[in-house]
Amino acid sequence: VQLQASGGGLVQAGGSLRLSCATSGVNFASLIMAWFRQPPGKEREFLGIVDWNGGIRDLADSVRGRFTISRDNVKSTSYLQMNALNPEDTAVYYCAGDANDYSAYVLKEFIHWGQGTLVTVSS
């Protein structure tokens, strides 16, 4: 199973980026997908989940109203659309997936992880 996150880069405050997480080696439609981030020197932060049908769950307060998560089961890809970025959003962003709904929804534990993509927001 491979998750490949991409789309990170340098963006000015107020700008937007869309991250992608391309998945292979697994039935993507069976995975509950999530996004996390880890700012420099800080702990990893859970951002939210997109379920099998594209429903968004548990979007973090820190990003609600600015970020949204989606998926394309035909392309086996999950997306994190980030708008109104600010310097506090600077982090390595990770996608993750798990087919077990208890692990995903309750424990926020995921068995499959992407390698991370760096987002830097300049002021």
Side-chain angles (χ1 to χ4, degrees), residues 29-116:
S30 71
L31 294 181
I32 300 160
M33 297 299 296
W35 286 89
F36 293 77
R37 69 183 178 185
Q38 187 163 18
K42 296 184 179 180
E43 294 187 353
R44 188 172 63 195
E45 177 187 11
F46 168 81
L47 298 180
I49 283 172
V50 58
D51 67 21
W52 301 288
N53 295 319
I56 300 172
R57 298 192 183 201
D58 302 330
L59 205 58
D61 290 343
S62 58
V63 303
R64 189 174 295 121
R66 300 187 299 123
F67 291 12
T68 190
I69 302 173
S70 61
R71 66 190 293 157
D72 185 331
N73 286 345
V74 173
K75 295 182 178 180
S76 298
T77 301
S78 175
Y79 302 98
L80 178 66
Q81 176 68 44
M82 306 184 294
N83 300 322
L85 287 160
N86 59 64
E88 288 71 39
D89 296 316
T90 293
V92 178
Y93 284 73
Y94 298 90
C95 58
D98 202 302
N100 186 293
D101 54 355
Y102 183 81
S103 291
Y105 296 144
V106 178
L107 301 180
K108 303 296 190 290
E109 293 179 355
F110 295 83
I111 193 170
H112 307 299
W113 287 85
Q115 84 286 4

Side-chain angles (χ1 to χ4, degrees), residues 3-18:
L3 278 64
Q4 183 75 36
S6 63
L10 176 64
V11 62
Q12 287 189 330
S16 298
L17 277 177
R18 188 178 79 157

